[in-house]
């Protein structure tokens, strides 16, 4: 955006202008012109006056509201009065002096001090003491006050006794030094206190209020005090002059003269020269042989020399060296040729730097000009005494502070910083990097964490690989401390054992979940559901029960043939995990019969008969036995007394049910020992003994719950018998073949 000329005109005070680049559009007229307005001098106006201020930006002109400040400047904005205060009293010297032993002077009665436009004049007389000319001076109240008025004037009664010098005033002064002092005058008064608030031309505040702007309301009195004079603030600088004899006659001696007036009550002037020459408080030295004469001027109230130097007293001396610093003399000297003296002489001055130190960054050295009486003697070059480095976070620059000599103020140059690789600080839980200024670490800057990649260790928990901002790789490993490892509930998988998810974070930040990270020792207790043919397990992971548990299909072994044939029970092994359980099913029992045929030695035909037990489609066949062809295999129709139709002699294609009835039997000769033990759940039962071949009922027993039946039963003859147990609802509970 191009710059425009901003012209500011103040009625009766001229105008001034400057270039400014607008920060807004031209139509807004919002240019921060206070940069041009603040601290511009205003003359000829009192505080209460409001002159017209015109601002012209480009070709557009408008008026601005302003306030005249007591500092003699003006600004945009408001001036708010905050109260009336008694202002500070600033003292200034006014030309009266007194020494120890003298009576103090007194302002004569009726004497006044007239204050007009910030300047004051004494009217009256002084009794005792001496004054040089009319007494006058200026008055001010701090840095914030200057009346700026040529019309307002005040008159204050000035008569008052002035303080004298006491013994306490002279304590601490050198005994060889006179104790004297100068009088000072100050003015007390009441002042209106204001606060100014600066506004831009867009109406927005552009700065904080300036406090303690004081405007004189009323002068109260003049006050006097005596200040003891020690070391003078303005120290004399001697300029010794040289003179020689008649130009027509070759001179071998010379004269050194000091023109400055010195009060030897306070000053001491000492001289040294060749061949042991010495003098004190002499301002004219005559008949001096050619050579180097050095002087030292001291003041009894000052520490160290007030002035010193060396005069090269030689006719036609010319420089033969550059200026250099002579440490023994603590002076800047140069060598001069002097044939008459037979050796080189020195000219030395108490030179001072006429500019601040500067730094040559390329040569890495300090330099400055040394002057004497406004003449540049030479350029002093030296290595820096010390270099300090700092990093300015606002400007993002290295600030190099260079101290060219001990005790001197530093100069500051800016350089671009260099940064170290980032690193992770475990105490702060964040990443930093070092700021390098000219290969020296000067600051540690926080850069933050870009990301953390988490892993899990069974012993240490969550472990994070930290990648810092501004980094290009994993910069640190973090574990323990503020690393938080949170575990989800245990889960169990038949293939992967115990596991659980883990959530990792660094003090709650950079959270991430790792699936199935944590493993545990498992303990499994298996159970088998015989009704549903299913395995169940209670799982403990690290002694903690897993809520969801485990279910699985069992692995079945073969059906037990003996149990099927002899107990009519379908029994097999059900394997759940590494544990075995018994699986039972209902058996289906039926008979098979073969063809009739003649058996050797028998006249009638016989047929084979055998029992079949089926367990879940797997069949088991019992041993066959032969019966006459006219008999039924297992005797289907039982014949009871009265030829009434009865129970089936033996089940055929009938499924077994477990009814909770247990029995035991044994045979001896023609006897059957039978014991029947029903359970509590059995309401009633019926036990039937039949002859397999004929189906004839041999014995029928009925019983009830938990009533044990035990009896020896005589069987009619040798043969094959069937023992059948039925529940109260005539359901087949058990069936046994008895061979007698």
């Amino acid at each position: 955006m191009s710059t425009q000329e901003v012209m500011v005109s103040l009625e009766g005070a001229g105008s001034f202008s400057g270039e400014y680049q607008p920060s807004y559009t031209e139509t807004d007229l919002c240019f921060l012109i206070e940069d041009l307005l603040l601290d511009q001098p205003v003359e000829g106006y009192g505080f209460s006056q409001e002159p017209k201020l015109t601002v012209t930006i480009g070709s557009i002109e408008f008026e601005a509201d302003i306030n005249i400040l007591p500092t003699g400047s003006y600004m945009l904005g408001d001036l708010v009065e905050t109260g009336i205060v008694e202002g500070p009293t600033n003292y200034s010297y006014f030309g009266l002096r007194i020494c120890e032993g003298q009576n103090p002077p007194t302002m004569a009665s009726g004497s006044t001090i007239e204050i007009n436009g910030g300047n004051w004049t004494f009217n009256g007389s002084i009794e005792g003491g001496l004054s040089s000319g009319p007494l006058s001076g200026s008055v001010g109240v701090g840095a914030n006050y200057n009346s700026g008025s040529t019309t307002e004037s005040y008159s204050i009664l000035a008569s008052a006794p002035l303080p004298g010098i006491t013994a306490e005033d002279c304590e601490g002064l050198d005994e060889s030094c006179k104790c004297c002092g100068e009088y000072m005058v100050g003015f007390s008064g009441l002042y209106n206190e204001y606060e100014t608030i600066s506004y831009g031309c867009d109406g927005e505040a552009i700065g904080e209020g300036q406090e303690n702007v004081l405007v004189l309301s009323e002068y109260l009195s003049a006050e006097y005090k005596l200040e003891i004079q020690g070391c003078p603030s303005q120290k004399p600088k001697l300029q010794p002059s040289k003179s020689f004899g008649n130009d027509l006659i070759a001179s071998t001696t010379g004269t050194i003269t000091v023109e400055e007036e010195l009060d030897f009550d306070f000053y001491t002037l000492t001289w040294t020269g060749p061949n042991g020459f010495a003098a004190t408080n002499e301002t004219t030295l005559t008949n001096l042989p050619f050579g180097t004469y050095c002087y030292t001027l001291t003041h009894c109230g000052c520490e160290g020399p007030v002035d010193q130097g060396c005069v090269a007293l030689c006719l036609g001396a010319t420089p033969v060296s550059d200026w250099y610093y002579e440490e023994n003399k603590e002076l800047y000297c140069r060598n001069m040729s002097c044939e008459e003296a037979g050796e080189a002489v020195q000219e030395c001055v108490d030179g001072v730097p006429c500019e601040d130190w500067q730094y040559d960054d390329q040569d890495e050295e300090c330099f400055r000009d040394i002057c004497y009486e406004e003449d540049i003697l030479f350029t002093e070059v030296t290595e820096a005494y010390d270099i300090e480095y700092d990093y300015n976070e606002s400007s993002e620059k290295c600030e190099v502070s260079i101290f060219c000599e001990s005790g001197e103020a530093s100069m500051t140059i800016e350089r671009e910083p260099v940064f170290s690789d980032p690193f992770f600080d475990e105490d702060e839980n964040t990443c930093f990097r070092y700021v390098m200024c000219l290969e020296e670490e000067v600051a540690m800057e926080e850069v933050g964490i870009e990301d953390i990649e988490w892993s899990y260790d069974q012993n240490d928990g969550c472990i994070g690989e930290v990648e810092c901002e501004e980094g290009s790789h994993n910069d640190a490993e973090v574990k323990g401390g503020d690393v938080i490892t949170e575990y989800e509930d245990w889960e169990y998988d038949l293939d992967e054992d115990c596991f659980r998810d883990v959530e990792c974070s660094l003090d709650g930040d950079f959270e991430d979940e790792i699936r199935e990270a944590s493993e545990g020792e498992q303990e499994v207790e298996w159970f088998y559901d015989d009704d549903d043919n299913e395995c169940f397990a209670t799982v403990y992971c690290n002694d903690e029960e897993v809520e969801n548990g485990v279910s699985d299909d069992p692995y079945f072994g073969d059906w037990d043939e003996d149990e099927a044939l002899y107990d009519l029970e379908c029994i097999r092994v059900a394997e759940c995990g590494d544990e075995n359980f018994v699986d039972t099913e209902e058996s289906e029992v039926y008979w098979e019969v073969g063809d009739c045929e003649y058996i050797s030695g028998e006249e009638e035909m016989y047929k084979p008969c055998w029992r079949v037990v089926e367990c879940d489609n797997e069949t088991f066949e019992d041993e066959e036995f032969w019966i006459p062809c006219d008999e039924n295999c297992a005797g289907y129709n039982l014949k009871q007394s009265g030829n009434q139709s009865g129970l089936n002699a033996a089940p055929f294609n009938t499924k077994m049910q477990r009814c909770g009835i247990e029995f035991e039997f044994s045979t001896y000769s023609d006897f059957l020992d039978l014991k029947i033990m029903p359970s509590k759940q059995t309401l009633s039962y019926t036990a039937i003994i039949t002859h397999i071949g004929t189906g004839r009922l041999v014995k029928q027993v009925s019983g009830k719950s938990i009533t044990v039946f035990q009896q020896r039963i005589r069987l009619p003859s040798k043969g094959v018998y069937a023992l059948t147990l039925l529940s109260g609802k005539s359901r087949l509970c058990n069936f046994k073949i008895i061979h007698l």
Side-chain angles (χ1 to χ4, degrees):
M1 188 178 294
S2 62
T3 60
Q4 294 198 29
E5 183 180 37
V6 179
M7 177 69 73
V8 181
S9 301
L10 183 63
E11 181 180 357
S15 62
F16 55 91
S17 63
E19 295 288 333
Y20 200 82
Q21 177 173 305
S23 57
Y24 303 96
T25 61
E26 290 184 8
T27 54
D28 290 334
L29 293 178
C30 269
F31 307 98
L32 304 181
I33 63 171
E34 67 277 357
D35 288 345
L36 296 173
L37 294 178
L38 290 176
D39 299 326
Q40 294 295 330
V42 177
E43 298 178 356
Y45 293 97
F47 174 71
S48 60
Q49 295 174 278
E50 296 183 357
K52 177 182 178 182
L53 176 71
T54 302
V55 179
T56 303
I57 302 177
S59 60
I60 302 175
E61 179 180 300
F62 66 98
E63 293 185 8
D65 295 330
I66 67 167
N67 281 294
I68 306 300
L69 300 184
T71 55
S73 63
Y74 51 83
M75 67 187 300
L76 299 175
D78 292 341
L79 192 63
V80 180
E81 184 173 355
T82 58
I84 297 178
V85 298
E86 184 172 349
T89 302
N90 286 354
Y91 291 88
S92 61
Y93 296 105
F94 63 98
L96 286 180
R97 178 182 174 188
I98 187 176
C99 291
E100 186 176 12
Q102 294 179 333
N103 293 323
T106 302
M107 300 292 185
S109 176
S111 297
T112 60
I113 291 179
E114 301 293 332
I115 301 176
N116 188 1
N119 297 313
W120 61 268
T121 304
F122 175 77
N123 298 319
S125 61
I126 300 176
E127 298 177 355
L130 298 174
S131 63
S132 55
L135 302 182
S136 62
S138 61
V139 63
V141 179
N144 290 329
Y145 173 71
N146 190 309
S147 70
S149 171
T150 58
T151 58
E152 299 176 4
S153 62
Y154 303 86
S155 178
I156 300 175
L157 188 63
S159 58
L162 300 182
I165 292 181
T166 65
E168 293 181 357
D169 294 332
C170 301
E171 289 180 356
L173 292 179
D174 192 288
E175 294 181 357
S176 63
C177 200
K178 272 190 175 182
C179 182
C180 299
E182 289 192 34
Y183 289 103
M184 305 181 73
V185 64
F187 304 93
S188 64
L190 296 178
Y191 301 86
N192 293 319
E193 185 178 46
Y194 293 88
E195 179 183 60
T196 61
I197 303 177
S198 177
Y199 293 91
C201 55
D202 59 353
E204 295 292 331
I206 62 173
E208 298 180 355
Q210 179 185 356
E211 299 179 354
N212 298 325
V213 176
L214 303 178
V215 179
L216 180 65
S217 172
E218 177 184 358
Y219 276 119
L220 299 179
S221 63
E223 299 177 0
Y224 305 94
K225 71 176 183 178
L226 179 65
E227 184 169 288
I228 301 301
Q229 297 298 300
C231 185
S233 57
Q234 296 294 327
K235 301 178 181 64
K237 286 291 183 182
L238 304 185
Q239 295 180 330
S241 61
K242 299 177 289 184
S243 61
F244 303 95
N246 192 331
D247 292 339
L248 300 177
I249 301 174
S251 178
T252 59
T253 61
T255 300
I256 300 176
T257 304
V258 175
E259 301 293 342
E260 290 80 10
E261 292 185 5
L262 298 174
D263 187 347
F264 291 118
D265 287 339
F266 299 95
Y267 290 100
T268 299
L269 177 62
T270 59
W271 292 92
T272 60
N275 301 320
F277 174 81
T280 302
N281 292 345
E282 296 289 341
T283 57
T284 302
L285 303 176
T286 60
N287 296 320
L288 300 177
F290 291 169
T292 302
Y293 293 86
C294 297
Y295 62 90
T296 302
L297 179 65
T298 59
H299 186 284
C300 60
C302 301
E303 292 184 4
V306 173
D307 189 23
Q308 56 185 339
C310 294
V311 178
L313 185 63
C314 186
L315 187 63
T318 57
V320 294
S321 73
D322 294 331
W323 289 99
Y324 61 91
Y325 185 70
E326 178 71 61
E327 292 189 5
N328 292 333
K329 295 183 173 66
E330 297 183 350
L331 295 171
Y332 292 95
C333 302
R334 63 179 175 177
N335 296 329
M336 311 288 289
S337 66
C338 184
E339 295 181 2
E340 294 83 352
E343 61 181 12
V345 294
Q346 281 184 313
E347 179 182 10
C348 301
V349 295
D350 196 5
V352 294
C354 46
E355 64 176 356
D356 293 332
W357 282 107
Q358 300 181 58
Y359 187 73
D360 187 329
D361 193 27
Q362 184 173 357
D363 294 334
E364 296 183 352
E365 58 186 15
C366 296
F367 66 93
R368 64 180 176 181
D369 289 338
I370 302 298
C371 296
Y372 181 73
E373 298 297 331
E374 299 182 358
D375 292 330
I376 297 177
L377 299 179
F378 71 104
T379 299
E380 183 180 12
V381 179
T382 184
E383 292 183 358
Y385 172 78
D386 190 20
I387 299 178
E388 296 179 357
Y389 304 93
D390 194 12
Y391 179 63
N392 189 319
E393 294 183 1
S394 300
S395 64
E396 298 182 348
K397 299 285 186 181
C398 284
E399 293 183 348
V400 185
S401 299
I402 301 169
F403 297 83
C404 290
E405 59 183 354
S406 176
E408 290 287 328
S410 65
M411 68 186 77
T412 302
I413 59 176
E414 288 188 344
R415 291 292 180 267
E416 292 295 332
V418 177
F419 301 98
S420 71
D421 291 334
F423 61 91
F424 179 76
D425 189 305
E426 293 186 1
D427 295 330
E428 299 295 335
N429 282 341
T430 189
C431 288
F432 294 88
R433 63 180 178 182
Y434 289 113
V435 181
M436 315 288 291
C437 293
L438 301 183
E439 300 182 357
E440 182 168 331
E441 294 178 3
V442 297
M444 192 168 67
E445 179 183 56
E446 181 178 350
V447 294
I449 299 174
E450 173 74 22
D451 194 16
I452 299 180
E453 184 176 340
W454 294 102
S455 61
Y456 179 78
D457 182 84
Q458 290 293 124
N459 297 320
D460 296 328
C462 289
I463 301 176
E465 292 292 335
V466 179
E467 181 178 347
C468 298
E469 295 279 3
E470 308 294 337
S472 58
H473 57 280
N474 291 331
D475 300 296
E477 180 182 272
V478 58
K479 62 183 179 180
D482 292 323
V483 173
I484 299 175
T485 303
E486 294 183 342
Y487 297 95
E488 301 295 332
D489 294 335
W490 283 105
E491 298 181 46
Y492 180 81
D493 185 278
L494 290 175
D495 296 326
E496 300 184 14
D497 300 329
C498 287
F499 63 88
R500 55 184 171 180
D501 299 340
V502 175
E503 187 173 275
C504 302
S505 70
L506 179 61
D507 199 18
D509 293 327
F510 301 97
E511 296 179 343
D512 195 12
E513 184 179 65
I514 306 177
R515 293 283 297 164
E516 302 180 7
S518 174
E519 298 178 356
E521 294 184 0
Q522 71 277 2
E523 180 182 349
V524 183
E525 295 182 2
W526 285 100
F527 304 93
Y528 179 67
D529 188 335
D530 195 15
D531 294 332
D532 295 329
N533 291 349
E534 190 171 7
C535 295
F536 293 93
T538 299
V539 180
Y540 297 90
C541 294
N542 286 0
D543 297 328
E544 183 179 337
E545 183 176 350
V546 178
E547 293 184 359
N548 54 2
V550 173
S551 63
D552 195 18
D553 294 328
Y555 172 77
F556 293 111
D558 295 331
W559 292 106
D560 190 318
E561 183 177 1
D562 292 338
E563 292 289 342
L565 292 176
Y566 297 115
D567 293 333
L568 298 182
E569 291 183 341
C570 292
I571 297 176
R572 59 183 174 179
V573 173
E575 186 176 324
C576 296
D578 56 358
E579 297 185 35
N580 293 332
F581 298 89
V582 175
D583 175 56
T584 61
E585 299 286 345
E586 293 181 353
S587 63
E588 185 174 346
V589 183
Y590 55 90
W591 296 87
E592 295 284 350
V593 62
D595 296 332
C596 292
E597 59 182 87
Y598 287 102
I599 299 176
S600 176
E602 298 291 339
E603 296 182 356
E604 59 180 326
M605 298 182 72
Y606 284 82
K607 57 184 177 182
C609 185
W610 66 92
R611 183 182 58 173
V612 179
V613 179
E614 184 174 325
C615 294
D616 194 18
N617 297 325
E618 184 176 354
T619 60
F620 301 96
E621 295 183 355
D622 203 355
E623 295 179 2
E624 62 183 23
F625 56 91
W626 293 82
I627 62 175
C629 284
D630 59 349
E631 292 186 4
N632 290 324
C633 185
Y636 289 112
N637 294 318
L638 296 178
K639 295 179 180 179
Q640 301 182 16
S641 59
N643 293 323
Q644 294 180 350
S645 174
L647 296 172
N648 215 0
F652 184 77
N653 281 350
T654 302
K655 288 189 176 182
M656 300 282 291
Q657 294 184 358
R658 301 186 66 84
C659 304
I661 304 174
E662 302 292 337
F663 65 88
E664 298 174 355
F665 70 90
S666 62
T667 59
Y668 173 74
S669 185
D670 295 338
F671 293 95
L672 172 68
D673 291 329
L674 178 64
K675 183 178 180 180
I676 301 173
M677 298 164 287
S679 66
K680 293 181 180 180
Q681 289 76 25
T682 303
L683 298 178
S684 62
Y685 67 89
T686 301
I688 301 172
I689 301 174
T690 58
H691 187 271
I692 288 293
T694 62
R696 182 164 56 94
L697 178 64
V698 176
K699 183 74 172 180
Q700 179 173 339
V701 177
S702 296
K704 296 182 179 180
S705 172
I706 70 172
T707 302
V708 178
F709 171 82
Q710 187 171 2
Q711 186 177 0
R712 173 170 284 188
I713 300 172
R714 185 181 183 88
L715 299 179
S717 61
K718 300 289 184 181
V720 181
Y721 294 88
L723 172 60
T724 305
L725 287 175
L726 301 173
S727 69
K729 297 182 179 181
S730 299
R731 294 178 179 175
L732 179 62
C733 295
N734 214 326
F735 177 79
K736 293 292 181 180
I737 299 296
I738 302 172
H739 295 269
L740 186 63

